Amino acid sequence: MPWSSSRQQHLMFPSTSNPFGDVGSEALPVNQTTPLGQPHSNKNGVRGVESAHDAVRWPEAWHFWPPQEGATLVVSGDGRYFSKDAIQIIIKMSAANGVRRVWVGQNGLLSTPSVSAVIRERVGADGSKATGAFILTASHNPGGPNEDFGIKYNMENGGPAPEAITDKIFENTKTIKEYLITEGLPNVDISATGVTSFTGPEGPFDVEVFDSATDYVKLMNYDALHGVGGAYANRIFVEELGAKQSSLLNCIPKEDFGGGHPDPNLTYAKELVERMGLGKSNSEVEPPEFGAASDGDADRNMILGKRFFVTPSDSVAIIAANAVNAIPYFSSGLKGVASRSVQPVVFCLHCNYILDLPACRSMPTSAALDVVAKNLGLKFFEVPTGWKFFGNLMDAGMCSICGEESFGTGSDHIREKDGIWAVLAWLSILAYKNKENLKGDKLVSVEDIVRQHWATYGRHYYTRYDYENVDAGGAKDLMANMVKLMPSLDEINNIVKGVRSDVSKVVKADEFEYKDPVDGSVSKNQGIRFMFEDGSRLVFRLSGTGSEGATIRLYIEQYEKDPSKIGRDSQEALAPLVEVALKLSKMPEFTGRSAPTVIT
């Protein structure tokens, strides 16, 4: 079918405007989906906090990145509202800009980890490989006509674009005056698999719609919160592993995620939390032994046992500690082997033995993984928040298992965090721990595994306080005030002792800075840290993944080696440090909040 390209003026903003406001290039372009009524407004995207991160400027701003002509792009996402429109727009812009082919997951659905797998593993019938991907997601933020939408770009290695690239994209958004888009190119039916071919002045152009789950299940071989993880759950857990259909909750992807908030934590995954016996109601129904949830784009996860919550920091540490025995490694590739009877479920990774490779965590994540790495003789890296930092280490063969406290866990099988991978890794550990006990009266439970880990390595009491949608000015003032306070440890410790005499003294206060051992790039101002003499930590960060105001994250950690003291309630054990953190930061004064929005 023939088509022609046209050059459209960007009608919504003058060339001097900044569609990103002051959020900077690191943040995902997350925005509220209020439609604009001007001509070409659907191409100009959706309105963001006070300006726009739009479906035109983001892809068009990418134009500098080679190779553009002849490229193969992946375009899909978590299925949230506006995704189907955005896919058609990006297809038309790709054709006009000389892209050779676009791959789209059926119905526009691909989880973030699956996109990474497709970039790295998929080969077209003509031998083509993807050169990058636009992922349409606002991560764990809500979706719907009046909620959030976002676009993310992943590179040829399958991982998120590094800061050097997003900085260039951000700069381009400030100067775009027009964009290229095709005329006469009809919308492509993305509900049916197959290839649609076109011919135009830029040459041949193909759009291939493929099964959303096939490539990921090949690579890999639970509450989905109505996110894109539901597209994979039935294939993996029911068809491949033989679980009952009734084991799956909310596994039909919806544009508004069923009206819920697709963030896998104890606050938002209410139905699963109740079913696992952790809710406020006293149900007489015995909870299942294992439960898990993923977020909107299926890259985050939450692991639950019967009446027991596994913190993300403990989860990655336990996976690393048990990987050698419970998760075999094969040099021939990533494979999943499962029996539908009572044989252990096995998940296999494509890398060398874990003892030969380091472990990595993000800076705010608890030091539970550090202790495992030290005991097993592993190299260890602490990086800023952002999966792209793990990807650099993985590409260099320097990291195999990694995790972050914000419910992200993964390995070097792809270059994204992977919620379903984490679930399968835990099922493998449970299977290994119960291989001699499958017909016993009492199985080794999730709680048993975690408590055994604490007895071996000690426990890192840990919690995170999220203050969401606070005034951005107040949030910046809060952080600036702590920066001023950092040089004076005497003043800091006077404040600490004035609040709680039973809290250890602060021995170091700084802003975390990271020099990448691979490319030498330096990332500054990655969070304010207060380190205590007994190994406790307080960390404060501003998060860029919301669409309104600012989100302040407060991380509180205390290490306990005494076996007699590892069974306390986490919030009770951390209460003294919480008091200190609120006083040091002047949280109520700067935010006007008497309590956090979410506690995990």
Side-chain angles (χ1 to χ4, degrees):
M1 183 176 295
W3 52 266
S4 62
S5 62
S6 68
R7 191 173 296 275
Q8 304 285 355
Q9 294 296 318
H10 195 291
L11 301 178
M12 190 173 146
F13 298 100
S15 61
T16 56
S17 69
N18 178 0
F20 290 91
D22 294 324
V23 300
S25 62
E26 260 192 283
L28 268 175
V30 176
N31 23 260
Q32 294 184 313
T33 51
T34 304
L36 302 173
Q38 300 181 20
H40 300 296
S41 62
N42 62 327
K43 300 175 185 64
N44 289 336
V46 290
R47 180 164 292 150
V49 185
E50 293 178 352
S51 53
H53 310 291
D54 53 84
V56 168
R57 285 190 175 219
W58 187 254
E60 186 69 11
W62 155 86
H63 70 81
F64 70 89
W65 180 247
Q68 178 187 353
E69 293 189 8
T72 298
L73 289 178
V74 183
V75 182
S76 286
D78 58 16
R80 67 181 57 236
Y81 182 83
F82 192 68
S83 291
K84 291 179 180 178
D85 297 299
I87 288 170
Q88 300 296 340
I89 294 167
I90 294 173
I91 287 172
K92 292 176 172 64
M93 293 183 68
S94 296
N97 282 279
V99 171
R100 175 62 181 83
R101 62 188 64 78
V102 172
W103 292 345
V104 182
Q106 190 173 16
N107 295 309
L109 296 174
L110 281 176
S111 69
T112 295
S114 182
V115 171
S116 183
V118 168
I119 294 172
R120 294 174 61 80
E121 303 293 330
R122 194 170 198 271
V123 180
D126 58 355
S128 56
K129 293 268 294 180
T131 48
F134 289 114
I135 308 175
L136 310 180
T137 178
S139 188
H140 52 290
N141 291 320
N146 298 303
E147 299 294 350
D148 296 337
F149 181 80
I151 300 178
K152 174 181 176 181
Y153 187 70
N154 275 31
M155 305 289 286
E156 196 169 6
N157 71 342
E163 289 178 331
I165 299 302
T166 56
D167 286 347
K168 290 180 181 178
I169 294 173
F170 175 55
E171 290 303 316
N172 282 353
T173 65
K174 300 176 182 179
T175 59
I176 292 175
K177 299 178 182 178
E178 57 187 13
Y179 57 86
L180 287 175
I181 193 164
T182 60
E183 290 184 344
L185 189 73
N187 284 352
V188 175
D189 181 4
I190 61 173
S191 66
T193 59
V195 179
T196 305
S197 298
F198 303 92
T199 302
E202 304 296 333
F205 175 68
D206 297 331
V207 179
E208 180 177 356
V209 179
F210 62 96
D211 185 288
S212 298
T214 298
D215 289 275
Y216 186 70
V217 173
K218 284 180 184 176
L219 192 65
M220 301 305 298
N221 216 92
Y222 120 99
D223 187 345
L225 299 179
H226 288 300
V228 70
Y232 306 88
N234 189 74
R235 179 80 67 85
I236 292 172
F237 296 115
V238 176
E239 295 181 19
E240 297 288 328
L241 302 184
K244 295 180 179 179
Q245 188 72 42
S246 59
S247 299
L248 306 181
L249 298 176
N250 303 321
C251 284
I252 300 175
K254 297 183 178 181
E255 289 188 340
D256 65 349
F257 305 112
H261 193 139
D263 195 355
N265 59 43
L266 295 173
T267 299
Y268 295 125
K270 296 178 182 177
E271 185 177 358
L272 178 66
V273 169
E274 288 285 343
R275 183 176 289 200
M276 296 304 297
L278 288 166
K280 295 180 179 179
S281 62
N282 295 317
S283 174
E284 295 182 1
V285 178
E286 187 70 4
E289 289 290 338
F290 181 83
S294 60
D295 70 335
D297 59 335
D299 61 352
R300 300 171 194 256
N301 73 94
M302 177 173 66
I303 304 297
L304 301 173
K306 182 189 295 186
R307 303 187 184 93
F308 193 83
F309 166 64
V310 183
T311 70
S313 297
D314 278 340
S315 180
V316 66
I318 290 167
I319 290 172
N322 289 278
V324 171
N325 293 323
I327 308 174
Y329 289 74
F330 293 95
S331 60
S332 57
L334 283 85
K335 302 172 184 175
V337 181
S339 170
R340 297 175 187 268
S341 61
V342 294
Q343 298 300 314
V345 177
V346 179
F347 180 75
C348 309
L349 307 178
H350 180 207
C351 61
N352 297 321
Y353 292 105
I354 186 67
L355 287 176
D356 294 331
L357 292 171
C360 323
R361 67 165 172 84
S362 65
M363 181 275 288
T365 304
S366 92
L369 185 60
D370 311 33
V371 177
V372 171
K374 183 178 180 180
N375 275 268
L376 297 182
L378 306 177
K379 291 181 180 179
F380 171 77
F381 293 94
E382 181 183 34
V383 306
T385 298
W387 211 259
K388 55 183 172 284
F389 297 104
F390 293 130
N392 245 17
L393 295 171
M394 289 175 179
D395 284 345
M398 298 171 68
C399 182
S400 58
I401 287 182
C402 50
E404 57 187 16
E405 51 69 38
S406 55
F407 296 87
T409 319
S411 84
D412 62 353
H413 66 294
I414 57 175
R415 296 299 182 266
E416 285 280 4
K417 48 186 174 283
D418 191 341
I420 293 178
W421 177 89
V423 174
L424 292 174
W426 263 94
L427 289 175
S428 295
I429 293 170
L430 281 165
Y432 175 78
K433 295 289 187 180
N434 286 285
K435 65 181 180 179
E436 307 296 338
N437 190 38
L438 291 175
K439 296 183 179 180
D441 294 332
K442 185 179 184 303
L443 295 175
V444 177
S445 68
V446 170
E447 181 176 358
D448 294 334
I449 291 170
V450 175
R451 292 192 180 279
Q452 182 185 53
H453 182 87
W454 291 343
T456 303
Y457 297 101
R459 180 178 181 182
H460 290 258
Y461 287 102
Y462 186 87
T463 191
R464 187 180 94 185
Y465 281 26
D466 288 1
Y467 295 82
E468 297 178 347
N469 299 330
V470 302
D471 176 73
K476 290 179 180 178
D477 289 343
L478 178 146
M479 299 295 284
N481 185 67
M482 284 191 290
V483 169
K484 291 179 182 177
L485 185 63
M486 284 190 312
S488 178
L489 290 181
D490 288 340
E491 184 179 355
I492 291 171
N493 283 308
N494 284 337
I495 295 172
V496 171
K497 294 305 176 184
V499 178
R500 296 291 301 228
S501 60
D502 55 344
V503 170
S504 179
K505 73 175 182 178
V506 176
V507 294
K508 184 179 180 181
D510 67 3
E511 280 194 277
F512 181 60
E513 181 176 303
Y514 175 70
K515 183 175 182 179
D516 194 302
V518 179
D519 61 20
S521 61
V522 176
S523 299
K524 298 182 178 181
N525 306 320
Q526 295 295 314
I528 295 172
R529 305 185 297 178
F530 295 93
M531 276 80 83
F532 294 76
E533 193 172 39
D534 64 354
S536 299
R537 290 194 312 162
L538 298 176
V539 177
F540 297 83
R541 286 184 60 253
L542 292 182
S543 174
T545 57
S547 61
E548 294 183 8
T551 294
I552 301 172
R553 301 202 197 280
L554 163 60
Y555 311 84
I556 304 155
E557 175 182 6
Q558 180 176 313
Y559 182 50
E560 183 57 69
K561 293 185 291 185
D562 186 342
S564 67
K565 297 181 180 180
I566 60 174
R568 301 174 65 192
D569 173 77
S570 182
Q571 295 301 321
E572 175 190 332
L574 293 169
L577 277 173
V578 171
E579 286 187 51
V580 168
L582 298 181
K583 188 68 175 180
L584 275 175
S585 63
K586 297 184 179 180
M587 187 72 73
E589 292 89 331
F590 281 111
T591 66
R593 302 288 181 87
S594 59
T597 312
V598 177
I599 298 176
T600 51

